[in-house]
Amino acid sequence: MHQTESRTRQARRLRSDMTGAEAHLWKMLRGRSFEGLKFRRQVPVAGAIADFLCPEFKLVIELDGGIHRLREVEDAERDLKLADAGFITLRFGNEAFLRNPNELLDAIRRHVASVRSHPPHASGSA
């Protein structure tokens, strides 16, 4: 899916205006400091802007503030769009992440381990 200039501008703005939870997670992920995984932040992908993306494992991480309680339908539709493009989305609330960051980090580890133990078929089909 082609990325628009406005979505790219929005992603750049979001990178400079991260929430406290996003900034905390970024410190943990940046520079391959977590499990050697490459993450990007606030990146356009599949017609959306992902909070964090690990392209190698097609993993999107979303940290949600309170407003997302009012946007559950939109978030579910967005997650489906990402899934249709082959991405898995891990969605955590800001407060839950700040209380226990290891819960999210363990979920990332589990996803990576499952992909490594069941790599996609070479032909692209199962």
Side-chain angles (χ1 to χ4, degrees):
M1 177 176 288
H2 180 69
Q3 210 50 56
T4 65
E5 284 186 41
S6 66
R7 196 165 286 122
T8 300
R9 279 193 303 275
Q10 182 183 7
R12 286 180 181 145
R13 182 184 53 76
L14 289 169
R15 280 193 290 273
S16 65
D17 294 335
M18 287 192 302
T19 67
E22 290 170 343
H24 184 64
L25 180 57
W26 183 236
K27 285 180 188 175
M28 301 169 101
L29 299 178
R30 70 182 298 187
R32 295 183 186 265
S33 59
F34 178 71
E35 306 284 325
L37 300 171
K38 172 68 175 166
F39 280 90
R40 297 173 62 199
R41 65 188 166 111
Q42 302 298 349
V43 60
V45 60
I49 298 175
D51 288 346
F52 301 92
L53 170 69
C54 179
E56 178 182 2
F57 291 95
K58 299 203 74 153
L59 176 63
V60 171
I61 299 170
E62 291 294 318
L63 288 180
D64 295 339
I67 190 70
H68 286 270
R69 289 186 193 105
L70 304 173
R71 298 188 48 205
E72 290 178 359
V73 171
E74 292 91 343
D75 286 345
E77 289 171 356
R78 185 175 181 275
D79 292 350
L80 281 174
K81 187 188 314 183
L82 287 164
D84 287 344
F87 293 90
I88 297 294
T89 302
L90 297 179
R91 191 173 285 282
F92 281 77
N94 286 343
E95 300 85 17
F97 167 71
L98 291 171
R99 257 192 324 275
N100 186 4
N102 286 325
E103 189 174 334
L104 172 55
L105 299 177
D106 288 342
I108 295 169
R109 284 185 190 102
R110 283 191 303 274
H111 172 74
V112 167
S114 78
V115 170
R116 284 184 174 151
S117 66
H118 298 95
H121 191 273
S123 70
S125 64

